[in-house]
Amino acid sequence: MKTVAGAVARRYEVMVQAAATLGLRQGEAFGLAVDFVWKPTLIKADIPTTHENGFHMLRHHFASVLLERGVSIKAVADFLGHADPGFTLRTYTHLMPSSEDRMRQVIEDVWATGQSALDVP
């Protein structure tokens, strides 16, 4: 099934590959994606090209969902093109409200099985 998100993601990947061919960094490819993919898509859908509808907000949402679902900071940083995973952590840590709950649940799940710390990889 085709989705808007899938179409945008495929178009973004094409932009990243084209940018790499031209010797551009992923962040520079992001700028091309905003100008040549995201904004024209908003205009075609008759959605105002405001900050609230910007690609940057979508990027924040994307990163926060990945982190919320347990994807590592390193993997998210690599995908977003951040050279320093610490930057990604500082930027998105406030978007991970359930981290303490997930931590507690992990410990509860392990203890519920009767495993010791030595049994856990």
Side-chain angles (χ1 to χ4, degrees):
M1 174 171 70
K2 292 183 178 183
T3 64
V4 172
V8 170
R10 284 188 299 280
R11 185 64 185 249
Y12 180 73
E13 286 301 317
V14 168
M15 295 299 287
V16 168
Q17 290 171 1
T21 301
L22 296 171
L24 301 175
R25 294 177 299 116
Q26 188 168 348
E28 293 166 317
F30 171 71
L32 292 174
V34 169
D35 291 340
F36 296 104
V37 179
W38 189 250
K39 286 181 182 177
T41 302
L42 291 178
I43 291 166
K44 190 170 185 175
D46 200 29
I47 298 172
T49 57
T50 62
H51 178 73
E52 291 79 22
N53 298 327
F55 194 85
H56 195 73
M57 296 302 267
L58 178 64
R59 185 174 158 96
H60 275 296
H61 172 73
F62 178 79
S64 64
V65 168
L66 292 178
L67 294 169
E68 177 70 23
R69 295 294 175 100
V71 175
S72 75
I73 289 287
K74 173 79 169 96
V76 174
D78 287 346
F79 186 84
L80 294 176
H82 296 166
D84 175 17
F87 173 80
T88 309
L89 181 61
R90 289 187 301 277
T91 302
Y92 294 104
T93 194
H94 70 284
L95 297 175
M96 302 177 347
S98 69
S99 294
E100 290 179 5
D101 293 337
R102 285 186 312 159
M103 180 179 63
R104 286 186 199 100
Q105 190 61 52
V106 166
I107 296 300
E108 287 181 21
D109 291 347
V110 169
W111 287 353
T113 64
Q115 293 178 316
S116 78
L118 299 175
D119 298 326
V120 179

